Amino acid sequence: MGVPFYLAEMDEVFPPEALLAGEDLWLDGALTGLEEYRYRWTAKVYAKKIEQVSLKLRGTEVIAVSCTCAVKGLCAHVAALVMAVQESVENGAE
């Protein structure tokens, strides 16, 4: 499934098509409701239907991911979430 991986390594573990589609979703604002609680990040992604996504971090290492879509594992919805989390972590560190 590609987990665990570090946030900065996402381009090395996601399938290229999921990475590109995830970037489109993220840049288009399809990801909403980003929340963090006890190292678990959750959000909704509005694509063809609403998908619930989550990931769990240990530092900057992603140790678990989930999405309600039919694709199991590292899908575009999870990629969009990872990008949003990465941006949030980077901005929070400043």
Side-chain angles (χ1 to χ4, degrees):
M1 201 192 297
V3 177
F5 64 91
Y6 289 94
L7 290 172
E9 300 173 339
M10 73 173 295
D11 58 337
E12 298 171 18
V13 297
F14 276 83
E17 62 278 0
L19 199 58
L20 290 172
E23 184 176 33
D24 287 344
L25 290 168
W26 180 57
L27 293 174
D28 290 344
L31 187 135
T32 63
L34 181 66
E35 294 183 358
E36 187 267 337
Y37 179 72
R38 293 189 178 188
Y39 311 107
R40 180 170 298 279
W41 292 80
T42 59
K44 293 178 183 173
V45 179
Y46 291 82
K48 292 180 182 176
K49 65 177 198 160
I50 299 170
E51 304 295 352
Q52 300 279 347
V53 291
S54 70
L55 63 82
K56 187 169 184 177
L57 291 178
R58 182 184 309 128
T60 60
E61 182 181 26
V62 178
I63 59 172
V65 298
S66 70
C67 182
T68 57
C69 77
V71 177
K72 300 299 178 204
L74 300 176
C75 64
H77 310 108
V78 172
L81 176 60
V82 172
M83 291 173 194
V85 169
Q86 189 171 26
E87 179 183 60
S88 183
V89 168
E90 288 173 1
N91 289 340
E94 294 179 1

